[in-house]
Amino acid sequence: RGKDEKYKVRMPKLWMVREYKDKRKSIDDVERNIFKFKKSSEEKSKKMEKEEKFFRETFMYEKEIRVLATATAECSVPSQRRVDLPVTAGEQLDVIDAVQGHAVICRNSQGRYGYVLVEHLNFR
C-alpha cells in the first residue's frame, strides 16, 4: 500500500432495495408530470389571450379589463348567439362590465367572454 491508500476509508457497496427503486421511479414520473403541467398552462394562457383578442374585436371593448364583481350562476343557460356566454349552474363568473339593459359582460373560468342576463346571476 502507498501513503495515500493507508488513510483511505473503504465504504461497502450498499445494495438498493427493489421497492425503493420503484418508489424513486415514481417520484421521477411525478417530476415529469410537473413539466407537462407547465406546458398545458402555457397553452391555456395562449388560449385565454386568443379569447381576449376575440372579445375586444367582437364587443369593440377598448377599456382595461377589470373584474368589478364575482357572481355565481343560478341556473344553466345555453347560448343563443356567439356573443352570449353559455353558463352552467353554480359556475363562478367574473363580471367585467355592466352594460345598459339587463345584461352584463362576464368571463368564465376558461377565459371566454360574453353577455349574461343579470336575472341568472347571484351576487354575493
Side-chain angles (χ1 to χ4, degrees):
R1 292 183 169 183
K3 276 186 171 179
D4 295 336
E5 290 182 25
K6 187 176 178 183
Y7 299 106
K8 195 179 224 182
V9 178
R10 294 186 184 251
M11 296 294 290
K13 186 172 183 181
L14 299 174
W15 296 98
M16 196 179 297
V17 180
R18 185 172 296 193
E19 293 173 10
Y20 179 73
K21 280 184 180 179
D22 295 339
K23 190 181 265 188
R24 198 173 79 188
K25 284 181 185 175
S26 67
I27 290 171
D28 292 341
D29 292 342
V30 170
E31 289 175 2
R32 288 188 190 118
N33 288 341
I34 291 171
F35 295 121
K36 287 181 183 176
F37 176 74
K38 284 185 177 179
K39 184 177 179 183
S40 68
S41 66
E42 288 175 9
E43 292 172 359
K44 189 173 182 180
S45 66
K46 286 181 183 178
K47 184 178 179 184
M48 290 184 88
E49 286 176 12
K50 182 181 172 187
E51 287 290 338
E52 183 179 333
K53 182 180 177 187
F54 179 80
F55 162 70
R56 288 188 180 280
E57 290 172 358
T58 306
F59 291 84
M60 293 178 264
Y61 196 82
E62 298 297 325
K63 296 184 269 180
E64 178 185 353
I65 296 175
R66 292 186 317 148
V67 177
L68 301 177
T70 304
T72 307
E74 291 182 336
C75 58
S76 297
V77 181
S79 65
Q80 303 294 326
R81 307 171 291 171
R82 175 63 175 113
V83 294
D84 293 336
L85 185 64
V87 177
T88 56
E91 184 178 10
Q92 293 284 331
L93 300 171
D94 296 330
V95 178
I96 304 299
D97 196 5
V99 293
Q100 295 175 349
H102 297 284
V104 292
I105 298 174
C106 292
R107 175 178 62 198
N108 64 6
S109 59
Q110 287 85 31
R112 282 192 66 188
Y113 295 85
Y115 289 117
V116 179
L117 293 176
V118 176
E119 58 202 37
H120 299 302
L121 299 177
N122 181 17
F123 294 93
R124 286 191 240 150

